[in-house]
C-alpha cells in the first residue's frame, strides 16, 4: 500500500497548517422553518477542516487544504471560494467519476430538536480519499496536520487513510485531531474508532457532550483518563468553557524536553500526556456571546487555539483565542467570517479574569477600532 516515505521532512516548509478532509457546498435557508417550507436557499461552503484552514488564513497564517472534489461546478465553487480566503488549494484533487457533496440545513441550532440537515454526500469524491491517492508530500508539508473524525466516517478507505496519517513515523508533523462526532454519519458504524484515532494524535479537541454520546465517557477527567497519550487534550464544555490537560510526555513523540508553553511548534516542544508525568490543567471560562447562528463555532475555536499555538502563546491564551475566534463566527449567520485583528484579539486575551468574565460580545464586536473597554459588558 503506498504511503508516506519514512523521514518525510517538514522542518523547512513554509506552510503552517495543512487541513485534510471533505468540504461541501451548503445551502442556507432564506428564512426559518422546516426544510419542506423554506422557499429558497443561499449557497455557501461547509467543511470542518476547510473551515479551520480558512480561519487560519484569514488570521494571517499559511494554511493549506487537501481534499477531493468532483469535476463539476460545485467543485469549482469550493476550490475557488476556499482559495479566496488565502488558503493553498494546489493539492486538491478532482474526481471525474464522483460528485462534490452538498447539503441543505435549517436555520435552527444544530443541537435543537427542530434542526434539519439533508446530506447528499454518499459516494462523493471526498469519500474516495484513501492511502493510495493522497499526495503525502503536500499532506506532511506543514508544521501542523489538522484532521477530524468526520473523515473517518465517510468510508472504509477514508478511515484507512486517517490511520495511515496518524501512525507514528519519523518526520510526522504535529497531528491535531478534532473528534467532531456526527451521530448521523455513524449509524450502523462503530464510533469507538474515534477514540483510537484520538489516542494517536498529539493535540486533541473533544466536547464533553460528544465524548459521552460516542464513548459513554462522562467528565473531563474521565476523558483524559481514556486519552492519556495526546500531549495536549482540549475538552470543550459548552457554556462552562474549556479545560486543557497538558504536560511533559516521555517516549518517541517527545524525545526532547519542552513545555506546552515553549517556543515554536514541534512534536518535541508541544508538551506531553498523562503517561508518566503529571498534567498541567488549565480551565478557561467561556465568553458571553449574543449568538446569531451556532454553526462553525467548533471549527473556529480549533483555528483560534491552533493560531495561538503557532505563536507560542501560553495555554490560557490559546484557549482564549479559541473562544474569541468562535465568538466571531457565532455572531454572524454563516460558518465563516473575518476574525478580529490580531492586536485586537491579543488585547482581549490579555484581560484579567474579572474583565474577561464581564465581556459580552455581539454582532460587530470584531471591528478593528474597538478597544477592550468599548466591548459591551454584562
Amino acid at each position: 500500500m503506498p504511503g508516506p516515505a519514512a523521514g518525510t521532512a517538514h522542518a523547512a516548509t513554509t506552510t503552517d497548517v495543512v487541513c485534510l478532509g471533505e468540504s461541501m457546498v451548503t445551502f442556507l435557508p432564506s428564512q426559518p422553518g422546516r426544510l419542506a417550507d423554506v422557499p429558497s436557499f443561499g449557497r455557501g461552503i461547509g467543511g470542518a477542516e476547510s473551515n479551520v484552514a480558512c480561519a487560519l488564513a484569514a488570521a494571517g497564517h499559511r494554511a493549506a487544504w487537501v481534499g477531493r472534489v468532483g469535476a463539476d461546478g460545485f467543485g469549482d465553487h469550493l476550490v475557488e471560494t476556499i482559495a479566496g480566503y488565502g488558503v493553498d488549494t494546489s493539492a486538491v484533487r478532482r474526481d471525474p467519476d464522483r460528485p462534490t457533496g452538498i447539503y441543505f440545513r435549517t436555520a435552527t441550532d444544530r443541537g435543537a430538536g427542530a434542526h434539519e440537515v439533508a446530506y447528499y454526500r454518499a459516494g462523493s469524491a471526498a469519500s474516495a480519499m484513501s492511502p493510495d491517492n493522497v499526495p503525502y508530500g503536500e499532506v506532511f508539508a506543514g508544521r501542523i496536520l489538522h484532521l477530524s473524525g468526520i473523515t473517518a466516517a465517510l468510508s472504509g478507505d477514508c478511515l484507512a487513510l486517517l490511520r495511515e496519517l496518524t501512525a507514528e513515523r519519523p518526520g510526522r508533523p504535529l497531528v491535531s485531531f478534532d473528534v467532531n462526532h456526527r451521530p448521523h454519519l455513524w449509524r450502523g458504524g462503530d464510533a469507538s474508532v474515534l477514540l483510537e484515532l484520538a489516542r494517536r494524535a498529539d493535540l486533541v479537541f473533544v466536547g464533553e457532550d460528544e465524548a459521552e454520546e460516542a464513548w459513554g465517557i462522562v467528565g473531563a477527567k474521565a476523558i483524559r483518563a481514556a486519552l492519556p497519550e495526546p500531549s495536549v487534550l482540549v475538552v470543550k464544555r459548552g457554556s462552562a468553557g474549556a479545560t486543557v490537560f497538558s504536560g511533559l510526555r516521555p517516549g518517541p513523540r517527545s524525545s526532547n524536553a519542552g513545555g506546552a508553553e515553549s517556543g515554536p511548534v514541534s512534536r518535541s516542544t508541544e508538551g506531553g500526556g498523562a503517561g508518566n508525568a503529571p498534567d498541567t490543567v488549565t480551565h478557561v471560562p467561556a465568553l458571553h456571546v449574543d449568538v446569531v447562528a451556532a454553526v462553525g463555532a467548533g471549527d473556529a475555536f480549533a483555528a483560534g487555539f491552533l493560531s495561538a499555538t503557532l505563536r507560542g502563546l501560553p495555554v490560557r491564551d490559546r484557549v482564549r483565542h479559541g473562544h474569541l475566534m468562535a465568538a466571531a463566527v457565532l455572531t454572524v449567520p454563516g460558518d465563516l467570517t473575518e476574525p478580529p485583528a490580531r492586536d485586537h484579539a491579543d488585547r482581549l486575551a490579555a484581560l484579567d479574569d474579572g474583565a474577561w468574565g464581564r465581556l459580552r460580545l455581539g454582532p460587530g464586536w470584531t471591528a478593528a477600532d474597538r478597544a477592550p473597554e468599548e466591548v459591551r459588558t454584562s
Side-chain angles (χ1 to χ4, degrees), residues 220-221 224 230-235 243-247 272 279-282:
K221 290 183 179 179
R224 183 49 158 172
S231 301
V232 177
L233 172 65
V234 183
V235 179
T243 299
V244 180
F245 298 86
S246 58
D279 270 322
T280 296
V281 182
T282 306

Side-chain angles (χ1 to χ4, degrees), residues 67-373:
R68 195 173 181 87
V69 300
D72 50 34
F74 288 144
D76 293 341
H77 176 65
L78 280 176
V79 174
E80 292 167 6
T81 303
I82 293 169
Y85 280 87
V87 176
D88 181 355
T89 59
S90 61
V92 176
R93 298 296 186 257
R94 309 301 290 262
D95 190 323
D97 301 316
R98 297 174 180 85
T100 302
I102 64 172
Y103 71 98
F104 298 77
R105 67 171 175 84
T106 54
T108 51
D109 184 353
R110 179 183 285 132
H115 185 67
E116 296 177 74
V117 182
Y119 287 100
Y120 299 90
R121 74 195 311 176
S124 69
S127 71
M129 288 189 295
S130 79
D132 299 318
N133 61 22
V134 162
Y136 288 98
E138 289 91 338
V139 171
F140 285 159
R143 298 165 65 193
I144 297 175
L145 171 61
H146 181 70
L147 308 168
S148 99
I150 294 173
T151 304
L154 299 180
S155 69
D157 282 343
C158 284
L159 174 56
L161 173 62
L162 285 202
R163 283 178 167 146
E164 184 72 28
L165 296 179
T166 56
E168 186 66 40
R169 61 171 50 83
R172 191 187 89 175
L174 186 147
V175 171
S176 166
F177 182 75
D178 193 334
V179 171
N180 259 329
H181 176 242
R182 298 288 186 266
H184 67 274
L185 290 177
W186 291 100
R187 291 171 185 158
D190 183 6
S192 67
V193 299
L194 297 176
L195 187 62
E196 169 202 333
L197 293 170
R199 294 183 67 176
R200 294 154 68 106
D202 303 296
L203 165 59
V204 172
F205 300 94
V206 62
E208 275 191 322
D209 54 347
E210 59 186 349
E212 181 175 3
E213 187 171 28
W215 310 323
I217 299 172
V218 180
K221 290 183 179 179
I223 295 170
R224 183 49 158 172
L227 288 168
E229 295 86 356
S231 301
V232 177
L233 172 65
V234 183
V235 179
K236 297 177 291 182
R237 306 176 65 193
S239 60
T243 299
V244 180
F245 298 86
S246 58
L248 287 176
R249 153 211 178 109
R253 291 200 219 175
S254 295
S255 57
N256 300 320
E261 298 182 11
S262 58
V265 168
S266 72
R267 302 182 72 225
S268 63
T269 62
E270 184 56 24
N276 298 324
D279 270 322
T280 296
V281 182
T282 306
H283 179 72
V284 180
L287 289 163
H288 300 285
V289 180
D290 295 333
V291 176
V292 172
V295 292
D299 304 329
F301 179 92
F305 191 96
L306 290 174
S307 173
T309 298
L310 287 162
R311 297 170 58 201
L313 299 185
V315 170
R316 186 207 69 168
D317 291 1
R318 299 182 194 192
V319 181
R320 285 190 171 188
H321 277 276
H323 285 322
L324 289 165
M325 194 83 85
V329 169
L330 287 169
T331 50
V332 298
D335 290 30
L336 293 166
T337 189
E338 187 74 18
R342 181 172 291 184
D343 60 347
H344 185 194
D346 283 344
R347 291 197 303 271
L348 294 179
L351 292 174
D352 62 49
D353 291 345
W356 176 264
R358 291 190 298 272
L359 284 178
R360 189 178 189 99
L361 306 180
W365 76 267
T366 59
D369 59 348
R370 299 188 73 177
E373 61 272 14

Side-chain angles (χ1 to χ4, degrees), residues 9-89:
H10 64 279
T13 184
T14 58
T15 304
D16 291 323
V17 182
V18 175
C19 303
L20 178 145
E22 180 174 36
S23 189
M24 296 181 289
V25 172
T26 176
F27 289 92
L28 309 174
S30 58
Q31 64 184 45
R34 303 182 310 153
L35 284 178
D37 301 327
V38 175
S40 60
F41 296 80
R43 185 179 64 176
I45 65 170
E49 301 83 4
S50 59
N51 283 349
V52 171
C54 290
L56 284 167
H61 297 284
R62 295 159 299 192
W65 172 58
V66 178
R68 195 173 181 87
V69 300
D72 50 34
F74 288 144
D76 293 341
H77 176 65
L78 280 176
V79 174
E80 292 167 6
T81 303
I82 293 169
Y85 280 87
V87 176
D88 181 355
T89 59

